[in-house]
Amino acid sequence: MRSFTLHDHELADGRPPLFLPEIGTFFNQDIDTARRLVGELREAGATVVKGEVLHDADIALDDDTPETYLDVAGNAVTERYRDLIERKVVPLSDYELLYGECTRQGLG
């Protein structure tokens, strides 16, 4: 396998993992699960996590625009995009807890 570097993280066989989902919204507002995963990632050797800040559902139009994605079983699911965004919104205070945990764990 070829290797490459993303920022200061080498991606190659035998190197520590790099976790890139949007760690805040990935957990549907369950910050305790997100914080627990941060610790598990650190234990696995990860040095970086990726995040976002989605704290206001008004970034999405409140209309009937559909969004289709795959669920954990690989089945296509279609739902109203605004409903999806509202399910993903995380208060800024929870982001502070989550990113504080990343800092405490030494993850960039």
Side-chain angles (χ1 to χ4, degrees):
M1 176 180 149
R2 292 180 21 204
S3 68
F4 66 97
T5 301
L6 182 61
H7 184 46
D8 61 353
H9 188 88
E10 181 185 8
L11 296 162
D13 287 341
R15 300 293 300 155
L18 178 65
F19 185 66
L20 292 177
E22 303 294 354
I23 194 147
T25 59
F26 185 75
F27 298 98
N28 294 323
Q29 303 173 342
D30 187 347
I31 296 303
D32 289 335
T33 296
R35 289 174 69 190
R36 188 170 51 254
L37 181 62
V38 166
E40 291 173 9
L41 289 166
R42 185 70 189 120
E43 288 177 18
T47 59
V48 177
V49 294
K50 180 178 179 283
E52 81 302 316
V53 175
L54 175 55
H55 66 95
D56 185 352
D58 287 336
I59 67 159
L61 293 175
D62 197 359
D63 64 9
D64 290 326
T65 301
E67 176 68 19
T68 302
Y69 56 91
L70 299 179
D71 66 13
V72 293
N75 301 311
V77 176
T78 300
E79 72 176 294
R80 186 174 163 263
Y81 184 68
R82 177 63 183 243
D83 291 342
L84 172 68
I85 292 298
E86 288 177 0
R87 207 168 18 85
K88 301 290 185 177
V89 168
V90 176
L92 290 173
S93 58
D94 284 350
Y95 278 112
E96 185 176 11
L97 290 172
L98 179 57
Y99 293 132
E101 185 65 22
C102 291
T103 299
R104 193 177 76 70
Q105 294 280 345
L107 296 169

